[in-house]
Amino acid sequence: MSACDLATVAVNAPTHIQAIAPYQPGKPIAELAREFGLAEHAIVKLASNENPLGPSPAGMLAAQESLGGMALYPDGAGFALKAAISQKFDVAANRIVLGNGSNDVLDMVARAFLTAGTSSVFSEHAFAVYPIATQTAGATGIATPARKLGHDLEAMRAAIRPDTRVLWIANPNNPTGTFLPWGEIEAFLNEVPREVIVVLDEAYGEYLPPDERTDTTRWLAVHPNLVIVRTFSKAYGLAGLRVGYGLGHPDVIDLLNRVRHPFNVNVPALAAAEAALHDDEFLARSYALNRMGMKQLEAGVTALGLGFVPSKGNFLLVKLADAARVNQSLLRAGVIVRPVAGYGLPEYLRVSVGLANQNARFLDALKAVL
Ligand SMILES: *Cc1c(COP(=O)(O)O)cnc(C)c1O
């Protein structure tokens, strides 16, 4: 839409706001059901990296039990959830900020540190919220070329300008599933100027094999410019409640809390996240199911003669020459996956790891389409 087609009031929005390319979410099941006249129960959604096991049972119970209290505002400081996070990860409560999903934390970082005349650095094919949050703040986004579809830390460091205030890294990255060994990130942190906030987005950290995990929180004491961002949306199964958190230097967290909307995390979300945090059994099941499902998808895709990008997340990028057409055919067959052309990856579809029967549905539909 050109500016002259916009309603008079919309034209008055700053041009950097009008230029934002909207975030493209996975298609909701109800929407596909309406569009193609399909029964909702016959649709498989593997498009948003949600937990196919559903929510953590402990989290769901806690959310249900909290509902009687929803006439009252939630605890705006999130005392109990912060205490639980503090205890589990051995991080002081004044180093924790809670978000309405981790996207909220990403946005707080942008609003606190970015403005017109500043810039942020992110990688090509990185999470779409980094450029959106940057643009919303009126700052300039600098996208660096990817290396093997993942972050090229050398290129990112070289891209830092005097006006750069924030640098975003997702590890593992979405939508590529690429992963940088933690040693490389640690070395990188030692090289980045201390005036630049480094956001380390660990949305998929719980899916890493134990021998590829590291306690990144120990870097917080050494790097006051580090902000670690985590979510309850993926392995904990609470995407619909919207809760995540950031960890950082107390002074940085204090700034994020100033731009944070009061009561940004609601009553059931606070309760569910606190309970889910202790639901080790559910986390273990989510991890194990993801490993099995990933193997199933990799084998199935390979058997169809297709390539894929090895992934450390709960999703797989499948290479398809005509991804747009395949996506349309999959939709017609009741299978929702995620096109990633908007991420500069027009030859791929991203499929989230589901239950064994859901993965099989996807593979069968894919075979029929090809
Ligand atoms: C899914 C995802 C998140 C989580 O977003 P929420 O707002 O917490 O649901 C954050 N970062 C990346 C890279 C993701 O893929």
Side-chain angles (χ1 to χ4, degrees):
M1 194 184 322
S2 73
C4 55
D5 296 328
L6 286 173
T8 311
V9 290
V11 172
N12 288 334
T15 50
H16 68 265
I17 298 297
Q18 294 189 41
I20 292 173
Y23 180 82
Q24 304 276 359
K27 190 185 274 290
I29 288 175
E31 188 181 311
L32 182 67
R34 278 196 306 274
E35 273 180 22
F36 290 94
L38 300 169
E40 289 197 16
H41 66 80
I43 294 174
V44 171
K45 184 186 177 205
L46 300 172
S48 299
N49 302 345
E50 293 144 335
N51 195 321
L53 289 174
S56 142
M60 185 154 79
L61 189 65
Q64 283 165 344
E65 286 174 348
S66 78
L67 290 179
M70 72 185 176
L72 302 185
Y73 283 102
D75 174 6
F79 180 85
L81 177 55
K82 277 198 222 165
I85 293 169
S86 170
Q87 199 182 12
K88 177 161 179 173
F89 300 108
D90 194 21
V91 174
N94 67 351
R95 288 182 170 275
I96 304 169
V97 64
L98 301 180
N100 187 269
S102 57
N103 276 265
D104 189 26
V105 180
L106 301 173
D107 200 50
M108 285 179 222
V109 171
R111 280 184 286 128
F113 288 94
L114 297 175
T115 186
T118 68
S119 65
S120 88
V121 173
F122 44 80
S123 174
E124 184 187 15
H125 317 314
F127 191 41
V129 169
Y130 311 150
I132 292 176
T134 299
Q135 243 177 310
T136 302
T140 302
I142 303 172
T144 58
R147 200 171 114 236
K148 293 184 188 161
L149 292 181
H151 295 61
D152 181 341
L153 292 181
E154 196 43 55
M156 293 183 82
R157 192 169 67 92
I160 294 172
R161 312 191 303 212
D163 71 358
T164 300
R165 299 289 176 268
V166 179
L167 185 148
W168 318 82
I169 297 174
N171 203 44
N173 181 47
N174 170 27
T176 57
T178 50
F179 175 71
L180 292 168
W182 294 112
E184 289 183 29
I185 305 254
E186 191 173 12
F188 178 76
L189 282 169
N190 288 325
E191 293 173 355
V192 170
R194 285 201 156 196
E195 303 77 48
V196 177
I197 294 277
V198 176
V199 173
L200 183 54
D201 186 340
E202 300 184 345
Y204 301 96
E206 293 85 1
Y207 290 109
L208 287 173
D211 63 340
E212 292 187 72
R213 295 180 197 177
T214 198
D215 177 16
T216 53
T217 63
R218 68 196 152 85
W219 300 339
L220 291 170
V222 196
H223 299 289
N225 56 332
L226 173 65
V227 175
I228 296 169
V229 179
R230 295 177 181 166
T231 182
F232 288 93
S233 295
K234 309 284 157 61
Y236 293 95
L238 303 180
L241 281 182
R242 314 301 304 126
V243 49
Y245 61 96
L247 307 173
H249 188 280
D251 294 349
V252 172
I253 295 300
D254 175 53
L255 286 170
L256 299 187
N257 271 316
R258 294 189 212 185
V259 300
R260 185 176 60 81
H261 296 189
F263 316 115
N264 60 331
V265 186
N266 65 56
V267 166
L270 286 171
E274 186 187 344
L277 203 56
H278 298 117
D279 196 347
D280 294 334
E281 197 258 351
F282 181 76
L283 264 196
R285 269 202 296 143
S286 300
Y287 172 81
L289 182 84
N290 189 60
R291 298 296 287 182
M292 275 184 4
M294 186 66 85
K295 287 201 183 102
Q296 181 188 3
L297 286 177
E298 288 175 351
V301 162
T302 304
L304 295 175
L306 300 171
F308 61 84
V309 181
S311 169
K312 300 286 185 187
N314 64 346
F315 53 88
L316 191 66
L317 265 193
V318 181
K319 184 145 200 201
L320 294 149
D322 48 355
R325 180 191 68 86
V326 171
N327 183 50
Q328 281 307 312
S329 302
L330 288 175
L331 287 174
R332 228 165 281 124
V335 176
I336 312 175
V337 298
R338 189 69 148 271
V340 283
Y343 285 87
L345 299 163
E347 300 206 312
Y348 292 89
L349 291 176
R350 191 194 70 189
V351 56
S352 305
V353 176
L355 301 171
N357 65 314
Q358 297 176 321
N359 301 331
R361 265 284 304 277
F362 161 72
L363 291 168
D364 287 349
L366 186 59
K367 186 175 183 184
V369 166
L370 297 172

PDB file of all heavy atoms in Angstrom, residues 48-74:
ATOM      1  N   SER A  48       4.816 -23.385  14.378  1.00  0.00           N
ATOM      2  CA  SER A  48       5.223 -22.330  15.305  1.00  0.00           C
ATOM      3  C   SER A  48       6.117 -22.826  16.434  1.00  0.00           C
ATOM      4  O   SER A  48       6.263 -22.158  17.459  1.00  0.00           O
ATOM      5  CB  SER A  48       3.984 -21.640  15.891  1.00  0.00           C
ATOM      6  OG  SER A  48       3.226 -21.043  14.847  1.00  0.00           O
ATOM      7  N   ASN A  49       6.724 -23.998  16.226  1.00  0.00           N
ATOM      8  CA  ASN A  49       7.677 -24.547  17.209  1.00  0.00           C
ATOM      9  C   ASN A  49       7.068 -24.685  18.601  1.00  0.00           C
ATOM     10  O   ASN A  49       7.753 -24.541  19.609  1.00  0.00           O
ATOM     11  CB  ASN A  49       8.958 -23.694  17.257  1.00  0.00           C
ATOM     12  CG  ASN A  49       9.635 -23.605  15.910  1.00  0.00           C
ATOM     13  OD1 ASN A  49       9.319 -24.390  15.012  1.00  0.00           O
ATOM     14  ND2 ASN A  49      10.560 -22.671  15.751  1.00  0.00           N
ATOM     15  N   GLU A  50       5.759 -24.960  18.608  1.00  0.00           N
ATOM     16  CA  GLU A  50       5.072 -25.169  19.877  1.00  0.00           C
ATOM     17  C   GLU A  50       5.360 -26.574  20.389  1.00  0.00           C
ATOM     18  O   GLU A  50       5.810 -27.435  19.638  1.00  0.00           O
ATOM     19  CB  GLU A  50       3.561 -24.960  19.679  1.00  0.00           C
ATOM     20  CG  GLU A  50       3.225 -23.514  19.362  1.00  0.00           C
ATOM     21  CD  GLU A  50       2.088 -23.334  18.387  1.00  0.00           C
ATOM     22  OE1 GLU A  50       1.835 -24.251  17.580  1.00  0.00           O
ATOM     23  OE2 GLU A  50       1.444 -22.272  18.407  1.00  0.00           O
ATOM     24  N   ASN A  51       5.070 -26.807  21.666  1.00  0.00           N
ATOM     25  CA  ASN A  51       5.349 -28.111  22.268  1.00  0.00           C
ATOM     26  C   ASN A  51       4.225 -29.077  21.927  1.00  0.00           C
ATOM     27  O   ASN A  51       3.081 -28.852  22.330  1.00  0.00           O
ATOM     28  CB  ASN A  51       5.498 -27.975  23.783  1.00  0.00           C
ATOM     29  CG  ASN A  51       6.133 -29.200  24.399  1.00  0.00           C
ATOM     30  OD1 ASN A  51       5.853 -30.316  23.994  1.00  0.00           O
ATOM     31  ND2 ASN A  51       7.001 -28.969  25.374  1.00  0.00           N
ATOM     32  N   PRO A  52       4.539 -30.154  21.191  1.00  0.00           N
ATOM     33  CA  PRO A  52       3.456 -31.078  20.779  1.00  0.00           C
ATOM     34  C   PRO A  52       2.871 -31.852  21.949  1.00  0.00           C
ATOM     35  O   PRO A  52       1.800 -32.444  21.811  1.00  0.00           O
ATOM     36  CB  PRO A  52       4.152 -32.014  19.781  1.00  0.00           C
ATOM     37  CG  PRO A  52       5.597 -31.949  20.119  1.00  0.00           C
ATOM     38  CD  PRO A  52       5.854 -30.578  20.671  1.00  0.00           C
ATOM     39  N   LEU A  53       3.540 -31.851  23.097  1.00  0.00           N
ATOM     40  CA  LEU A  53       2.996 -32.526  24.279  1.00  0.00           C
ATOM     41  C   LEU A  53       1.943 -31.669  24.978  1.00  0.00           C
ATOM     42  O   LEU A  53       1.320 -32.120  25.943  1.00  0.00           O
ATOM     43  CB  LEU A  53       4.118 -32.848  25.273  1.00  0.00           C
ATOM     44  CG  LEU A  53       5.096 -33.958  24.868  1.00  0.00           C
ATOM     45  CD1 LEU A  53       6.233 -34.057  25.871  1.00  0.00           C
ATOM     46  CD2 LEU A  53       4.361 -35.289  24.748  1.00  0.00           C
ATOM     47  N   GLY A  54       1.777 -30.432  24.522  1.00  0.00           N
ATOM     48  CA  GLY A  54       0.864 -29.529  25.224  1.00  0.00           C
ATOM     49  C   GLY A  54       1.614 -28.828  26.334  1.00  0.00           C
ATOM     50  O   GLY A  54       2.842 -28.788  26.349  1.00  0.00           O
ATOM     51  N   PRO A  55       0.870 -28.252  27.291  1.00  0.00           N
ATOM     52  CA  PRO A  55       1.540 -27.526  28.379  1.00  0.00           C
ATOM     53  C   PRO A  55       2.108 -28.478  29.426  1.00  0.00           C
ATOM     54  O   PRO A  55       1.646 -29.609  29.558  1.00  0.00           O
ATOM     55  CB  PRO A  55       0.412 -26.686  28.982  1.00  0.00           C
ATOM     56  CG  PRO A  55      -0.848 -27.424  28.653  1.00  0.00           C
ATOM     57  CD  PRO A  55      -0.595 -28.187  27.376  1.00  0.00           C
ATOM     58  N   SER A  56       3.070 -28.007  30.185  1.00  0.00           N
ATOM     59  CA  SER A  56       3.516 -28.724  31.377  1.00  0.00           C
ATOM     60  C   SER A  56       2.286 -28.961  32.255  1.00  0.00           C
ATOM     61  O   SER A  56       1.559 -28.011  32.565  1.00  0.00           O
ATOM     62  CB  SER A  56       4.543 -27.863  32.128  1.00  0.00           C
ATOM     63  OG  SER A  56       4.372 -27.995  33.529  1.00  0.00           O
ATOM     64  N   PRO A  57       2.001 -30.212  32.641  1.00  0.00           N
ATOM     65  CA  PRO A  57       0.808 -30.475  33.471  1.00  0.00           C
ATOM     66  C   PRO A  57       0.834 -29.680  34.774  1.00  0.00           C
ATOM     67  O   PRO A  57      -0.210 -29.162  35.204  1.00  0.00           O
ATOM     68  CB  PRO A  57       0.881 -31.981  33.734  1.00  0.00           C
ATOM     69  CG  PRO A  57       1.718 -32.535  32.632  1.00  0.00           C
ATOM     70  CD  PRO A  57       2.710 -31.463  32.279  1.00  0.00           C
ATOM     71  N   ALA A  58       1.998 -29.570  35.381  1.00  0.00           N
ATOM     72  CA  ALA A  58       2.086 -28.794  36.625  1.00  0.00           C
ATOM     73  C   ALA A  58       1.754 -27.331  36.364  1.00  0.00           C
ATOM     74  O   ALA A  58       1.065 -26.671  37.151  1.00  0.00           O
ATOM     75  CB  ALA A  58       3.488 -28.923  37.227  1.00  0.00           C
ATOM     76  N   GLY A  59       2.220 -26.826  35.217  1.00  0.00           N
ATOM     77  CA  GLY A  59       1.930 -25.447  34.843  1.00  0.00           C
ATOM     78  C   GLY A  59       0.450 -25.235  34.605  1.00  0.00           C
ATOM     79  O   GLY A  59      -0.129 -24.230  35.039  1.00  0.00           O
ATOM     80  N   MET A  60      -0.172 -26.198  33.933  1.00  0.00           N
ATOM     81  CA  MET A  60      -1.591 -26.052  33.626  1.00  0.00           C
ATOM     82  C   MET A  60      -2.429 -26.052  34.909  1.00  0.00           C
ATOM     83  O   MET A  60      -3.331 -25.233  35.071  1.00  0.00           O
ATOM     84  CB  MET A  60      -2.056 -27.182  32.713  1.00  0.00           C
ATOM     85  CG  MET A  60      -3.492 -27.018  32.258  1.00  0.00           C
ATOM     86  SD  MET A  60      -3.848 -27.814  30.703  1.00  0.00           S
ATOM     87  CE  MET A  60      -4.021 -29.494  31.231  1.00  0.00           C
ATOM     88  N   LEU A  61      -2.081 -26.956  35.817  1.00  0.00           N
ATOM     89  CA  LEU A  61      -2.810 -27.030  37.090  1.00  0.00           C
ATOM     90  C   LEU A  61      -2.678 -25.713  37.852  1.00  0.00           C
ATOM     91  O   LEU A  61      -3.668 -25.162  38.362  1.00  0.00           O
ATOM     92  CB  LEU A  61      -2.262 -28.199  37.926  1.00  0.00           C
ATOM     93  CG  LEU A  61      -3.048 -28.553  39.172  1.00  0.00           C
ATOM     94  CD1 LEU A  61      -4.437 -29.075  38.801  1.00  0.00           C
ATOM     95  CD2 LEU A  61      -2.295 -29.607  40.008  1.00  0.00           C
ATOM     96  N   ALA A  62      -1.466 -25.189  37.903  1.00  0.00           N
ATOM     97  CA  ALA A  62      -1.237 -23.938  38.636  1.00  0.00           C
ATOM     98  C   ALA A  62      -2.009 -22.789  38.001  1.00  0.00           C
ATOM     99  O   ALA A  62      -2.575 -21.935  38.696  1.00  0.00           O
ATOM    100  CB  ALA A  62       0.256 -23.626  38.678  1.00  0.00           C
ATOM    101  N   ALA A  63      -2.051 -22.772  36.666  1.00  0.00           N
ATOM    102  CA  ALA A  63      -2.800 -21.720  35.975  1.00  0.00           C
ATOM    103  C   ALA A  63      -4.280 -21.807  36.327  1.00  0.00           C
ATOM    104  O   ALA A  63      -4.923 -20.796  36.635  1.00  0.00           O
ATOM    105  CB  ALA A  63      -2.600 -21.834  34.463  1.00  0.00           C
ATOM    106  N   GLN A  64      -4.801 -23.041  36.299  1.00  0.00           N
ATOM    107  CA  GLN A  64      -6.226 -23.227  36.619  1.00  0.00           C
ATOM    108  C   GLN A  64      -6.524 -22.758  38.039  1.00  0.00           C
ATOM    109  O   GLN A  64      -7.506 -22.068  38.289  1.00  0.00           O
ATOM    110  CB  GLN A  64      -6.612 -24.702  36.446  1.00  0.00           C
ATOM    111  CG  GLN A  64      -6.787 -25.092  34.987  1.00  0.00           C
ATOM    112  CD  GLN A  64      -6.813 -26.605  34.769  1.00  0.00           C
ATOM    113  OE1 GLN A  64      -6.415 -27.376  35.635  1.00  0.00           O
ATOM    114  NE2 GLN A  64      -7.284 -27.003  33.602  1.00  0.00           N
ATOM    115  N   GLU A  65      -5.642 -23.132  38.959  1.00  0.00           N
ATOM    116  CA  GLU A  65      -5.879 -22.777  40.358  1.00  0.00           C
ATOM    117  C   GLU A  65      -5.760 -21.267  40.590  1.00  0.00           C
ATOM    118  O   GLU A  65      -6.292 -20.744  41.558  1.00  0.00           O
ATOM    119  CB  GLU A  65      -4.892 -23.538  41.260  1.00  0.00           C
ATOM    120  CG  GLU A  65      -5.271 -25.004  41.387  1.00  0.00           C
ATOM    121  CD  GLU A  65      -4.231 -25.822  42.162  1.00  0.00           C
ATOM    122  OE1 GLU A  65      -3.124 -25.301  42.402  1.00  0.00           O
ATOM    123  OE2 GLU A  65      -4.550 -26.969  42.509  1.00  0.00           O
ATOM    124  N   SER A  66      -5.054 -20.579  39.698  1.00  0.00           N
ATOM    125  CA  SER A  66      -4.842 -19.137  39.885  1.00  0.00           C
ATOM    126  C   SER A  66      -6.024 -18.302  39.412  1.00  0.00           C
ATOM    127  O   SER A  66      -6.131 -17.118  39.732  1.00  0.00           O
ATOM    128  CB  SER A  66      -3.597 -18.692  39.115  1.00  0.00           C
ATOM    129  OG  SER A  66      -3.888 -18.571  37.734  1.00  0.00           O
ATOM    130  N   LEU A  67      -6.915 -18.926  38.620  1.00  0.00           N
ATOM    131  CA  LEU A  67      -7.918 -18.122  37.908  1.00  0.00           C
ATOM    132  C   LEU A  67      -8.881 -17.387  38.844  1.00  0.00           C
ATOM    133  O   LEU A  67      -9.383 -16.312  38.498  1.00  0.00           O
ATOM    134  CB  LEU A  67      -8.695 -18.995  36.919  1.00  0.00           C
ATOM    135  CG  LEU A  67      -7.870 -19.464  35.712  1.00  0.00           C
ATOM    136  CD1 LEU A  67      -8.709 -20.357  34.797  1.00  0.00           C
ATOM    137  CD2 LEU A  67      -7.318 -18.286  34.918  1.00  0.00           C
ATOM    138  N   GLY A  68      -9.138 -17.959  40.023  1.00  0.00           N
ATOM    139  CA  GLY A  68     -10.015 -17.277  40.970  1.00  0.00           C
ATOM    140  C   GLY A  68      -9.476 -15.916  41.381  1.00  0.00           C
ATOM    141  O   GLY A  68     -10.218 -15.050  41.844  1.00  0.00           O
ATOM    142  N   GLY A  69      -8.177 -15.712  41.183  1.00  0.00           N
ATOM    143  CA  GLY A  69      -7.559 -14.450  41.574  1.00  0.00           C
ATOM    144  C   GLY A  69      -7.486 -13.436  40.456  1.00  0.00           C
ATOM    145  O   GLY A  69      -6.853 -12.380  40.604  1.00  0.00           O
ATOM    146  N   MET A  70      -8.159 -13.715  39.350  1.00  0.00           N
ATOM    147  CA  MET A  70      -7.917 -12.832  38.199  1.00  0.00           C
ATOM    148  C   MET A  70      -8.696 -11.520  38.221  1.00  0.00           C
ATOM    149  O   MET A  70      -8.544 -10.704  37.316  1.00  0.00           O
ATOM    150  CB  MET A  70      -8.125 -13.575  36.880  1.00  0.00           C
ATOM    151  CG  MET A  70      -9.531 -13.914  36.504  1.00  0.00           C
ATOM    152  SD  MET A  70      -9.453 -14.909  34.989  1.00  0.00           S
ATOM    153  CE  MET A  70     -11.165 -15.301  34.779  1.00  0.00           C
ATOM    154  N   ALA A  71      -9.480 -11.292  39.250  1.00  0.00           N
ATOM    155  CA  ALA A  71     -10.087  -9.963  39.383  1.00  0.00           C
ATOM    156  C   ALA A  71      -9.049  -8.947  39.854  1.00  0.00           C
ATOM    157  O   ALA A  71      -9.226  -7.735  39.671  1.00  0.00           O
ATOM    158  CB  ALA A  71     -11.253 -10.003  40.369  1.00  0.00           C
ATOM    159  N   LEU A  72      -7.988  -9.440  40.435  1.00  0.00           N
ATOM    160  CA  LEU A  72      -6.924  -8.548  40.924  1.00  0.00           C
ATOM    161  C   LEU A  72      -5.810  -8.440  39.897  1.00  0.00           C
ATOM    162  O   LEU A  72      -5.536  -9.391  39.149  1.00  0.00           O
ATOM    163  CB  LEU A  72      -6.343  -9.081  42.236  1.00  0.00           C
ATOM    164  CG  LEU A  72      -7.312  -9.279  43.405  1.00  0.00           C
ATOM    165  CD1 LEU A  72      -6.539  -9.691  44.651  1.00  0.00           C
ATOM    166  CD2 LEU A  72      -8.107  -8.002  43.670  1.00  0.00           C
ATOM    167  N   TYR A  73      -5.139  -7.314  39.877  1.00  0.00           N
ATOM    168  CA  TYR A  73      -3.954  -7.180  39.033  1.00  0.00           C
ATOM    169  C   TYR A  73      -2.914  -8.203  39.468  1.00  0.00           C
ATOM    170  O   TYR A  73      -2.815  -8.540  40.656  1.00  0.00           O
ATOM    171  CB  TYR A  73      -3.344  -5.784  39.192  1.00  0.00           C
ATOM    172  CG  TYR A  73      -4.087  -4.706  38.442  1.00  0.00           C
ATOM    173  CD1 TYR A  73      -4.946  -3.844  39.112  1.00  0.00           C
ATOM    174  CD2 TYR A  73      -3.924  -4.553  37.074  1.00  0.00           C
ATOM    175  CE1 TYR A  73      -5.633  -2.852  38.431  1.00  0.00           C
ATOM    176  CE2 TYR A  73      -4.611  -3.567  36.384  1.00  0.00           C
ATOM    177  CZ  TYR A  73      -5.460  -2.715  37.062  1.00  0.00           C
ATOM    178  OH  TYR A  73      -6.128  -1.744  36.382  1.00  0.00           O
ATOM    179  N   PRO A  74      -2.120  -8.687  38.517  1.00  0.00           N
ATOM    180  CA  PRO A  74      -1.038  -9.592  38.913  1.00  0.00           C
ATOM    181  C   PRO A  74       0.035  -8.829  39.694  1.00  0.00           C
ATOM    182  O   PRO A  74       0.020  -7.601  39.727  1.00  0.00           O
ATOM    183  CB  PRO A  74      -0.480 -10.075  37.568  1.00  0.00           C
ATOM    184  CG  PRO A  74      -0.869  -9.029  36.573  1.00  0.00           C
ATOM    185  CD  PRO A  74      -2.144  -8.425  37.069  1.00  0.00           C
TER     186      PRO A  74
END
